[in-house]
Amino acid sequence: MRFQAFGSSLLCALYAGLAVATVLVDFQVAQPPPIPKNTKQCTIQILQRDFAFSFGMSEVVQFQPPTDCGPVGSWAAITLNFTVTSNGTQFDRLGIFTFQNVEIWRTSTPEPTRGDGIIWTYVKDVTRYTPLFAKPGIFILQLDNLIETGLDGIYSTVLHATFHASSLVHPPTPKADLIVPISSLANDTGNDVSVPPTFSLNVTLPQNTVKIFAELYASGNGQEEFWYFNTANEFLPDLPGFLGQGPFREVRLLVDGKVAGVAYPYATIFTGGIVPTAWRPITSYGALDLPTYFIDITPFVPLLTDGKPHAFSLDVTSAEDDHTILQNWFLSAALQVFLDKSLKPTTGKMTLYSADPFSKTSTTGSAGGGDVNITVAATRKIHIESTIVSGSGQVNHVVFTQDLRYNNVQNILNNTLIQNVLQTSSGSVSSTHNGVSVVVDKFSYPLGINITNFDPSGNSFMSTFDHSYNRDLLPLPIVLRSQIVERQKASGFFFINPNGNTGNGTSNNQFSYIDAAGNTFFRTVNAALNNITFDQQSGTLAPTSTPHFPFAKITGSQGKPRLPNGRVIPDV
Ligand SMILES: *[C@@H]1O[C@H](CO)[C@@H](O)[C@H](O)[C@H]1NC(C)=O
Ligand SMILES: *[C@@H]1O[C@H](CO)[C@@H](O)[C@H](O)[C@H]1NC(C)=O
Ligand SMILES: *[C@@H]1O[C@H](CO)[C@@H](O)[C@H](O)[C@H]1NC(C)=O
Ligand SMILES: *[C@@H]1O[C@H](CO)[C@@H](O)[C@H](O)[C@H]1NC(C)=O
Ligand SMILES: *[C@@H]1O[C@H](CO)[C@@H](O)[C@H](O)[C@H]1NC(C)=O
Ligand SMILES: *[C@@H]1O[C@H](CO)[C@@H](O)[C@H](O)[C@H]1NC(C)=O
Ligand SMILES: *[C@@H]1O[C@H](CO)[C@@H](O)[C@H](O)[C@H]1NC(C)=O
Ligand SMILES: *[C@@H]1O[C@H](CO)[C@@H](O)[C@H](O)[C@H]1NC(C)=O
Ligand SMILES: *[C@@H]1O[C@H](CO)[C@@H](O)[C@H](O)[C@H]1NC(C)=O
């Protein structure tokens, strides 16, 4: 058995009581949510569900806000605890949490082992969605799992919400007046949308709207899961069978057909990604809590407060001439809307709009002697300014800018035996209101993946990963600014075998979190062959209990690999 400290002596006691078990405790490295200590907490179970064959059968429950932690909506913080067990063979699966038609958390499942199986817990800070939790409504978890020949892993889930009461020391969290989904609005399944084609929704906003901030959820799926490995179309003839449309992806939010802001997404690697054994027990960064992207669309307020519907569109574009992508990306967005106290319409004027429809991109490369080397680069600049006058007379001068860079080098060598990619997305997003920063996103996401096949069958290979998530983020003016510096170096061998896949893996992680309230969390944690070999945690958010590292006995089911370039592994 392995133990991951969550600062909960309860969890420790729970596993201490099962000393003989060797359940593998999977986890993603992340900071424990910076929530107030020593305030009253009210925990309610939102749902419990065993996801066996669950394709198209989401868990849909009615949520009632708790009334025993102070006035409804006056909480200091809200967290969700998703705890899951599984035993058997299964692919990683995407999980979409939707509440009041707003996506509030996108996760994925660690692939299970057979025998004693796996368990994981992730505690997610959802305080920024407080306006949703202050009302009863429909809560949905979409986790489309398949049970079929060779796949028997069931995901047994339980989700709790903890409401942290406010006090004099910990005031109620600041919050938006309303949260407006840009989503499918379905009441029976997760509210993401599949693109292409472009998704559009007409939204009518209150006429006294003064500020709007958008949050985007985005992940590649199917032929787009390994988008950073996709091949530029002009080199497809040199790489028959590879997936096209190149490796560059830009997620766009458009308002009435005009680009309002974009994201150069972080590449989340799911736990079946190339070498499943590399992600056990430490998942790739982001696999349990996919990063989201923030755009200030306040500059569009003067155009949106006429009381009429306006089209909000979401899509993903490539660096190819037609800007299209393959199938598919899952997207959703939500608008955090702030209103003026007066009921009079907001007025104003957009004074500067500088945003091209697409990023500037270039593709270069050469092929010959069994090698194909390709570099795809992109840059993007957006600058939008508006002056906004609220009904009660306040003037807000808004400046929103994005300055983004992207570079992807693919070296496909030795007649595709070697497939190396080195990608860096970086940039700076800024929004100021009367000179005060309200959105800041300075990010750098370097990603190196080298795959070496030992023979042309593609059934025996090793891969190395060097993946970072460096982000200085003020997502919304109501959320703490924080800096995360994270680097994960992982590697593993994998052998696909009709009698059962075999493999191994190592993972070395360095993580640091610092926020504007002085909360800190630092963790260095390494694993080899399913064992935690080193774990050091410190900082104000670090758990006080001492982690220990008993050894796991892992039998069977070394995982189901998902591979770039559309390779389908037969079920075993
Ligand atoms: C999360 O929920 C699980 C299962 O209900 C529980 O055992 C665990 O103590 C909780 N962890 C935290 C940090 O609340
Ligand atoms: C896991 O499933 C196997 C059958 O595949 C079973 O033998 C084993 O007892 C299960 N383990 C647990 C902890 O339930
Ligand atoms: C979803 O539920 C809400 C609230 O009950 C309702 O207003 C809305 O019409 C429903 N949407 C669909 C697509 O059925
Ligand atoms: C949005 O409204 C416009 C104008 O009424 C209409 O032409 C368009 O079809 C609508 N779009 C959607 C996605 O409903
Ligand atoms: C491709 O890149 C590799 C590694 O940098 C280099 O050795 C090889 O000569 C290049 N081949 C071509 C055709 O550009
Ligand atoms: C790739 O080719 C080089 C040069 O021929 C050789 O040294 C190397 O072993 C090959 N690598 C693989 C994985 O086949
Ligand atoms: C991939 O291989 C290149 C060339 O040998 C090397 O420079 C790079 O560090 C490797 N990246 C990883 C993640 O192993
Ligand atoms: C993983 O397996 C490969 C191939 O069997 C082996 O060469 C390598 O040493 C193993 N790695 C570790 C960390 O044991
Ligand atoms: C974990 O490490 C221990 C001690 O080094 C070793 O005996 C054991 O085989 C390892 N477990 C696995 C699953 O490799």
Side-chain angles (χ1 to χ4, degrees):
M1 133 188 153
R2 195 151 305 88
F3 173 68
Q4 198 221 346
F6 273 103
S8 152
S9 52
L10 205 73
L11 188 71
C12 182
L14 179 71
Y15 293 122
L18 303 172
V20 289
T22 56
V23 61
L24 186 69
V25 181
D26 289 316
F27 62 97
Q28 180 202 306
V29 176
Q31 74 282 4
I35 45 176
K37 291 190 178 100
N38 310 319
T39 67
K40 188 180 176 193
Q41 300 181 3
C42 304
T43 296
I44 57 172
Q45 182 178 305
I46 294 190
L47 60 86
Q48 177 160 27
R49 164 85 179 265
D50 292 345
F51 288 90
F53 186 96
S54 57
F55 205 89
M57 290 176 273
S58 295
E59 184 67 8
V60 181
V61 297
Q62 273 293 332
F63 166 88
Q64 285 292 337
T67 52
D68 50 353
C69 256
V72 163
S74 73
W75 308 295
I78 309 171
T79 52
L80 295 179
N81 169 343
F82 190 47
T83 295
V84 188
T85 57
S86 188
N87 168 23
T89 302
Q90 193 49 264
F91 276 115
D92 57 76
R93 303 292 182 190
L94 202 62
I96 309 259
F97 292 95
T98 299
F99 184 36
Q100 317 265 25
N101 296 119
V102 175
E103 184 169 2
I104 60 166
W105 182 6
R106 188 172 296 187
T107 188
S108 70
T109 61
E111 291 195 353
T113 58
R114 183 184 308 285
D116 294 306
I118 62 167
I119 185 169
W120 79 92
T121 288
Y122 193 89
V123 179
K124 162 96 175 166
D125 187 346
V126 290
T127 308
R128 65 182 180 273
Y129 303 114
T130 294
L132 306 178
F133 283 93
K135 288 180 295 188
I138 299 173
F139 195 107
I140 303 171
L141 170 55
Q142 178 183 2
L143 201 163
D144 285 346
N145 193 26
L146 291 177
I147 301 293
E148 55 188 37
T149 309
L151 295 177
D152 61 353
I154 294 167
Y155 290 109
S156 299
T157 71
V158 58
L159 181 73
H160 287 94
T162 299
F163 296 80
H164 304 259
S166 54
S167 63
L168 279 177
V169 188
H170 300 293
T173 183
K175 55 180 189 282
D177 293 298
L178 67 154
I179 299 181
V180 178
I182 310 296
S183 78
S184 68
L185 304 180
N187 285 331
D188 57 354
T189 188
N191 279 198
D192 56 314
V193 296
S194 171
V195 303
T198 298
F199 173 76
S200 280
L201 185 72
N202 282 337
V203 175
T204 305
L205 291 165
Q207 286 190 264
N208 59 335
T209 295
V210 286
K211 296 178 206 169
I212 312 171
F213 302 91
E215 177 175 14
L216 308 184
Y217 282 80
S219 56
N221 177 67
Q223 296 169 314
E224 294 281 320
E225 177 173 348
F226 300 97
W227 43 279
Y228 41 88
F229 259 115
N230 286 19
T231 303
N233 290 345
E234 68 176 282
F235 291 96
L236 272 182
D238 302 297
L239 295 167
F242 277 48
L243 294 168
Q245 296 310 123
F248 172 69
R249 295 294 178 268
E250 174 177 275
V251 183
R252 303 192 306 170
L253 172 66
L254 300 96
V255 176
D256 289 336
K258 288 178 111 162
V259 173
V262 304
Y264 280 10
Y266 171 82
T268 303
I269 302 173
F270 301 111
T271 59
I274 305 173
V275 178
T277 41
W279 311 123
R280 205 183 266 167
I282 308 176
T283 72
S284 157
Y285 186 78
L288 299 189
D289 187 8
L290 276 76
T292 58
Y293 311 94
F294 298 87
I295 295 166
D296 187 3
I297 52 174
T298 305
F300 287 80
V301 162
L303 312 172
L304 296 172
T305 48
D306 58 1
K308 300 202 171 97
H310 291 271
F312 285 78
S313 307
L314 296 169
D315 69 4
V316 180
T317 70
S318 72
E320 297 299 315
D321 290 342
D322 62 3
H323 300 291
T324 65
I325 61 165
L326 303 177
Q327 289 289 350
N328 62 334
W329 277 67
F330 293 129
L331 307 181
S332 78
L335 310 178
Q336 298 250 0
V337 178
F338 294 78
L339 306 176
D340 188 46
K341 281 182 201 67
S342 90
L343 296 177
K344 291 190 217 143
T346 305
T347 58
K349 192 171 190 290
M350 190 180 280
T351 53
L352 176 67
Y353 178 82
S354 167
D356 292 329
F358 302 103
S359 280
K360 289 191 180 9
T361 59
S362 69
T363 299
T364 54
S366 56
D371 300 339
V372 184
N373 298 324
I374 310 166
T375 299
V376 175
T379 57
R380 162 62 101 173
K381 275 195 191 340
I382 290 176
H383 186 160
I384 309 174
E385 295 192 23
S386 284
T387 299
I388 290 154
V389 185
S390 72
S392 50
Q394 269 124 359
V395 178
N396 183 9
H397 184 61
V398 183
V399 180
F400 176 68
T401 60
Q402 294 195 291
D403 184 358
L404 314 179
R405 289 171 297 281
Y406 171 89
N407 197 67
N408 178 294
V409 180
Q410 296 178 351
N411 297 113
I412 313 297
L413 311 174
N414 295 39
N415 297 309
T416 75
L417 284 182
I418 296 174
Q419 302 180 17
N420 296 347
V421 64
L422 179 60
Q423 170 170 299
T424 305
S425 297
S426 61
S428 176
V429 180
S430 156
S431 185
T432 59
H433 289 188
N434 291 331
V436 176
S437 286
V438 292
V439 175
V440 174
D441 190 354
K442 294 177 188 162
F443 67 93
S444 165
Y445 306 142
L447 169 64
I449 304 181
N450 292 357
I451 304 174
T452 299
N453 290 285
F454 299 120
D455 60 64
S457 74
N459 288 334
S460 59
F461 53 91
M462 66 94 61
S463 184
T464 51
F465 304 83
D466 188 352
H467 200 187
S468 292
Y469 178 87
N470 303 318
R471 202 170 186 191
D472 173 0
L473 180 66
L474 171 62
L476 300 165
I478 55 165
V479 177
L480 279 178
R481 183 170 179 173
S482 66
Q483 282 94 41
I484 288 176
V485 176
E486 188 277 339
R487 185 171 189 179
Q488 183 172 43
K489 292 189 192 184
S491 69
F493 285 74
F494 209 79
F495 305 97
I496 294 164
N497 194 311
N499 302 319
N501 299 334
T502 60
N504 62 24
T506 63
S507 176
N508 294 339
N509 303 265
Q510 270 194 303
F511 179 88
S512 136
Y513 170 93
I514 300 174
D515 72 30
N519 300 300
T520 59
F521 180 68
F522 310 100
R523 187 172 190 183
T524 301
V525 58
N526 301 332
L529 310 172
N530 297 324
N531 282 335
I532 298 294
T533 52
F534 184 86
D535 191 359
Q536 198 169 59
Q537 303 183 45
S538 60
T540 63
L541 299 172
T544 43
S545 53
T546 319
H548 56 281
F549 323 112
F551 299 125
K553 181 170 91 276
I554 304 302
T555 53
S557 182
Q558 288 304 312
K560 299 290 288 179
R562 297 184 184 277
L563 296 169
N565 293 313
R567 277 198 49 215
V568 177
I569 305 305
D571 287 330
V572 295

